[in-house]
Amino acid sequence: MSKVLLVVGHPDLSQSRANKAMVDAVRDLAHVTVHDLYATYPDFQIDVAAEQALLAEHDVIVFQHPVFWYSTTPLFKQWQDMVFTFGWAFTMDGSASQLAGKKAVVAVTTGVPADHYTPEGSNKATIETLLSNWQATLRLCQFDVQQPMVKVYGSQAVQRTARLLRSLTRSHHRGPMPTR
């Protein structure tokens, strides 16, 4: 069974309904490591070597966060900038990075309903378009990006999404991730 790392970037997980439900859905699985960035680094002093070692130890990495200004949360962005370093997380000469071939899943939550994330909605774009930087970053780092992006809009479908996240972490997937 694959070792799964759930990297959570919520500033106050105890006050979150959606992110907390998603974490609670997988916390008890033996092959899943829940890594709460804000609990680990309340001072934003990231231990890069420890973070890279944690990534190296796992086969599937789930990046979970609420959407803040069409991006990740501040600590999560700092984590990306510091941990995804040239030569370790990505290369420019075509050689394999330390992350090459690891499966990656992006799981995001929003504070508004899904219809806000349509070309006709208030954001005038889909969540996939607004977060396309994730796809570019993960491809650069040579992850095997799994689809679909896990999305929770407002507080809708929190339990369904928590079940989906749990099912994604249960076993090693060779093909596309399930969509239900």
Short mmCIF file of all heavy atoms in Angstrom, two decimals, residues 5-36:
data_model
loop_
_atom_site.label_atom_id
_atom_site.label_comp_id
_atom_site.label_asym_id
_atom_site.label_seq_id
_atom_site.Cartn_x
_atom_site.Cartn_y
_atom_site.Cartn_z
N LEU A 5 1.05 11.24 2.10
CA LEU A 5 1.31 12.42 2.91
C LEU A 5 0.25 13.46 2.59
O LEU A 5 0.12 13.87 1.44
CB LEU A 5 2.70 12.99 2.61
CG LEU A 5 3.07 14.29 3.33
CD1 LEU A 5 3.08 14.11 4.85
CD2 LEU A 5 4.43 14.80 2.83
N LEU A 6 -0.50 13.86 3.59
CA LEU A 6 -1.50 14.92 3.45
C LEU A 6 -0.89 16.19 4.03
O LEU A 6 -0.73 16.31 5.25
CB LEU A 6 -2.79 14.55 4.17
CG LEU A 6 -3.90 15.59 4.18
CD1 LEU A 6 -4.35 15.93 2.77
CD2 LEU A 6 -5.08 15.09 5.01
N VAL A 7 -0.48 17.12 3.16
CA VAL A 7 0.10 18.39 3.59
C VAL A 7 -1.04 19.39 3.67
O VAL A 7 -1.65 19.74 2.67
CB VAL A 7 1.18 18.88 2.59
CG1 VAL A 7 1.80 20.18 3.10
CG2 VAL A 7 2.24 17.82 2.37
N VAL A 8 -1.33 19.83 4.90
CA VAL A 8 -2.48 20.70 5.14
C VAL A 8 -1.99 22.11 5.45
O VAL A 8 -1.15 22.30 6.33
CB VAL A 8 -3.34 20.18 6.32
CG1 VAL A 8 -4.56 21.05 6.54
CG2 VAL A 8 -3.73 18.73 6.09
N GLY A 9 -2.55 23.08 4.72
CA GLY A 9 -2.15 24.47 4.92
C GLY A 9 -3.32 25.35 5.30
O GLY A 9 -3.63 26.32 4.60
N HIS A 10 -4.00 25.03 6.39
CA HIS A 10 -5.10 25.87 6.89
C HIS A 10 -4.61 26.62 8.12
O HIS A 10 -4.09 26.01 9.05
CB HIS A 10 -6.32 25.02 7.24
CG HIS A 10 -7.55 25.84 7.47
ND1 HIS A 10 -7.70 26.65 8.57
CD2 HIS A 10 -8.67 25.97 6.74
CE1 HIS A 10 -8.88 27.25 8.51
NE2 HIS A 10 -9.48 26.85 7.40
N PRO A 11 -4.77 27.95 8.16
CA PRO A 11 -4.26 28.73 9.30
C PRO A 11 -4.84 28.36 10.65
O PRO A 11 -4.18 28.55 11.67
CB PRO A 11 -4.63 30.18 8.94
CG PRO A 11 -4.80 30.17 7.48
CD PRO A 11 -5.32 28.81 7.11
N ASP A 12 -6.07 27.84 10.69
CA ASP A 12 -6.66 27.44 11.96
C ASP A 12 -7.59 26.26 11.71
O ASP A 12 -8.81 26.41 11.61
CB ASP A 12 -7.43 28.59 12.61
CG ASP A 12 -7.87 28.26 14.02
OD1 ASP A 12 -7.68 27.10 14.49
OD2 ASP A 12 -8.43 29.16 14.68
N LEU A 13 -6.99 25.09 11.60
CA LEU A 13 -7.73 23.89 11.25
C LEU A 13 -8.87 23.61 12.22
O LEU A 13 -9.93 23.11 11.83
CB LEU A 13 -6.77 22.70 11.19
CG LEU A 13 -7.24 21.46 10.47
CD1 LEU A 13 -7.68 21.76 9.04
CD2 LEU A 13 -6.14 20.41 10.47
N SER A 14 -8.70 23.96 13.48
CA SER A 14 -9.75 23.69 14.48
C SER A 14 -11.02 24.47 14.19
O SER A 14 -12.10 24.09 14.62
CB SER A 14 -9.24 24.00 15.89
OG SER A 14 -9.07 25.41 16.05
N GLN A 15 -10.92 25.59 13.48
CA GLN A 15 -12.08 26.42 13.16
C GLN A 15 -12.66 26.14 11.77
O GLN A 15 -13.62 26.78 11.36
CB GLN A 15 -11.71 27.90 13.26
CG GLN A 15 -11.31 28.33 14.65
CD GLN A 15 -12.44 28.12 15.65
OE1 GLN A 15 -13.56 28.54 15.42
NE2 GLN A 15 -12.14 27.44 16.74
N SER A 16 -12.07 25.20 11.06
CA SER A 16 -12.51 24.89 9.70
C SER A 16 -13.52 23.75 9.73
O SER A 16 -13.33 22.77 10.43
CB SER A 16 -11.32 24.46 8.85
OG SER A 16 -11.76 23.93 7.62
N ARG A 17 -14.57 23.88 8.94
CA ARG A 17 -15.50 22.77 8.80
C ARG A 17 -15.04 21.82 7.70
O ARG A 17 -14.91 20.63 7.92
CB ARG A 17 -16.90 23.28 8.50
CG ARG A 17 -17.50 23.96 9.70
CD ARG A 17 -18.95 24.33 9.59
NE ARG A 17 -19.57 24.14 8.31
CZ ARG A 17 -20.65 24.77 7.91
NH1 ARG A 17 -21.23 25.63 8.69
NH2 ARG A 17 -21.17 24.55 6.73
N ALA A 18 -14.78 22.35 6.53
CA ALA A 18 -14.44 21.51 5.38
C ALA A 18 -13.06 20.87 5.51
O ALA A 18 -12.92 19.66 5.36
CB ALA A 18 -14.55 22.32 4.10
N ASN A 19 -12.03 21.67 5.76
CA ASN A 19 -10.68 21.12 5.85
C ASN A 19 -10.56 20.15 7.02
O ASN A 19 -9.93 19.11 6.90
CB ASN A 19 -9.65 22.24 5.97
CG ASN A 19 -9.38 22.90 4.64
OD1 ASN A 19 -8.54 22.44 3.87
ND2 ASN A 19 -10.12 23.96 4.34
N LYS A 20 -11.17 20.50 8.14
CA LYS A 20 -11.12 19.61 9.30
C LYS A 20 -11.80 18.28 9.01
O LYS A 20 -11.28 17.22 9.35
CB LYS A 20 -11.76 20.29 10.51
CG LYS A 20 -11.66 19.49 11.80
CD LYS A 20 -12.22 20.28 12.96
CE LYS A 20 -12.07 19.58 14.29
NZ LYS A 20 -12.46 18.19 14.31
N ALA A 21 -12.95 18.32 8.33
CA ALA A 21 -13.67 17.08 7.98
C ALA A 21 -12.82 16.22 7.06
O ALA A 21 -12.78 14.99 7.21
CB ALA A 21 -15.00 17.40 7.34
N MET A 22 -12.12 16.85 6.12
CA MET A 22 -11.28 16.09 5.20
C MET A 22 -10.11 15.44 5.95
O MET A 22 -9.78 14.28 5.70
CB MET A 22 -10.79 17.01 4.08
CG MET A 22 -11.94 17.44 3.16
SD MET A 22 -11.56 18.85 2.09
CE MET A 22 -10.35 18.15 0.99
N VAL A 23 -9.50 16.18 6.86
CA VAL A 23 -8.40 15.62 7.65
C VAL A 23 -8.91 14.50 8.55
O VAL A 23 -8.31 13.43 8.63
CB VAL A 23 -7.70 16.73 8.48
CG1 VAL A 23 -6.76 16.13 9.51
CG2 VAL A 23 -6.96 17.69 7.56
N ASP A 24 -10.03 14.74 9.21
CA ASP A 24 -10.58 13.72 10.11
C ASP A 24 -10.93 12.43 9.37
O ASP A 24 -10.86 11.34 9.95
CB ASP A 24 -11.82 14.26 10.84
CG ASP A 24 -11.48 15.31 11.88
OD1 ASP A 24 -10.28 15.45 12.23
OD2 ASP A 24 -12.40 16.01 12.35
N ALA A 25 -11.28 12.54 8.09
CA ALA A 25 -11.65 11.36 7.30
C ALA A 25 -10.48 10.41 7.07
O ALA A 25 -10.68 9.22 6.84
CB ALA A 25 -12.24 11.78 5.97
N VAL A 26 -9.25 10.92 7.14
CA VAL A 26 -8.09 10.07 6.85
C VAL A 26 -7.11 9.95 8.01
O VAL A 26 -6.17 9.16 7.94
CB VAL A 26 -7.34 10.57 5.59
CG1 VAL A 26 -8.25 10.53 4.37
CG2 VAL A 26 -6.77 11.96 5.79
N ARG A 27 -7.32 10.72 9.05
CA ARG A 27 -6.36 10.75 10.16
C ARG A 27 -6.08 9.38 10.77
O ARG A 27 -4.96 9.09 11.19
CB ARG A 27 -6.88 11.70 11.25
CG ARG A 27 -5.91 11.93 12.38
CD ARG A 27 -6.46 12.85 13.45
NE ARG A 27 -6.87 14.14 12.99
CZ ARG A 27 -6.04 15.19 12.82
NH1 ARG A 27 -4.77 15.05 13.05
NH2 ARG A 27 -6.51 16.35 12.41
N ASP A 28 -7.07 8.50 10.78
CA ASP A 28 -6.91 7.20 11.43
C ASP A 28 -6.35 6.11 10.51
O ASP A 28 -6.16 4.97 10.94
CB ASP A 28 -8.24 6.74 12.02
CG ASP A 28 -9.31 6.50 10.96
OD1 ASP A 28 -9.23 7.13 9.88
OD2 ASP A 28 -10.22 5.69 11.20
N LEU A 29 -6.06 6.42 9.27
CA LEU A 29 -5.52 5.43 8.34
C LEU A 29 -4.01 5.28 8.58
O LEU A 29 -3.27 6.27 8.55
CB LEU A 29 -5.80 5.82 6.90
CG LEU A 29 -7.28 5.95 6.53
CD1 LEU A 29 -7.43 6.43 5.09
CD2 LEU A 29 -8.00 4.63 6.74
N ALA A 30 -3.57 4.06 8.78
CA ALA A 30 -2.17 3.81 9.15
C ALA A 30 -1.17 4.25 8.09
O ALA A 30 -0.05 4.64 8.41
CB ALA A 30 -1.98 2.32 9.44
N HIS A 31 -1.56 4.23 6.83
CA HIS A 31 -0.62 4.57 5.76
C HIS A 31 -0.66 6.06 5.39
O HIS A 31 0.01 6.48 4.45
CB HIS A 31 -0.91 3.71 4.52
CG HIS A 31 -2.24 3.98 3.90
ND1 HIS A 31 -3.42 3.58 4.48
CD2 HIS A 31 -2.57 4.63 2.77
CE1 HIS A 31 -4.42 3.97 3.71
NE2 HIS A 31 -3.93 4.61 2.68
N VAL A 32 -1.43 6.85 6.15
CA VAL A 32 -1.55 8.28 5.87
C VAL A 32 -0.87 9.08 6.98
O VAL A 32 -1.12 8.87 8.16
CB VAL A 32 -3.03 8.71 5.76
CG1 VAL A 32 -3.14 10.22 5.58
CG2 VAL A 32 -3.72 7.98 4.61
N THR A 33 -0.01 10.01 6.58
CA THR A 33 0.61 10.95 7.49
C THR A 33 -0.05 12.30 7.27
O THR A 33 -0.01 12.84 6.16
CB THR A 33 2.12 11.08 7.22
OG1 THR A 33 2.74 9.80 7.35
CG2 THR A 33 2.77 12.08 8.18
N VAL A 34 -0.68 12.85 8.31
CA VAL A 34 -1.27 14.18 8.23
C VAL A 34 -0.23 15.16 8.74
O VAL A 34 0.26 15.05 9.86
CB VAL A 34 -2.58 14.27 9.06
CG1 VAL A 34 -3.10 15.70 9.06
CG2 VAL A 34 -3.62 13.30 8.52
N HIS A 35 0.10 16.13 7.88
CA HIS A 35 1.14 17.10 8.22
C HIS A 35 0.52 18.51 8.16
O HIS A 35 0.32 19.07 7.09
CB HIS A 35 2.28 16.96 7.22
CG HIS A 35 3.45 17.84 7.49
ND1 HIS A 35 4.01 18.02 8.74
CD2 HIS A 35 4.20 18.60 6.66
CE1 HIS A 35 5.03 18.84 8.67
NE2 HIS A 35 5.17 19.22 7.41
N ASP A 36 0.21 19.06 9.31
CA ASP A 36 -0.42 20.37 9.44
C ASP A 36 0.69 21.43 9.51
O ASP A 36 1.38 21.55 10.53
CB ASP A 36 -1.29 20.38 10.70
CG ASP A 36 -2.01 21.69 10.94
OD1 ASP A 36 -1.66 22.72 10.32
OD2 ASP A 36 -2.94 21.69 11.78
#
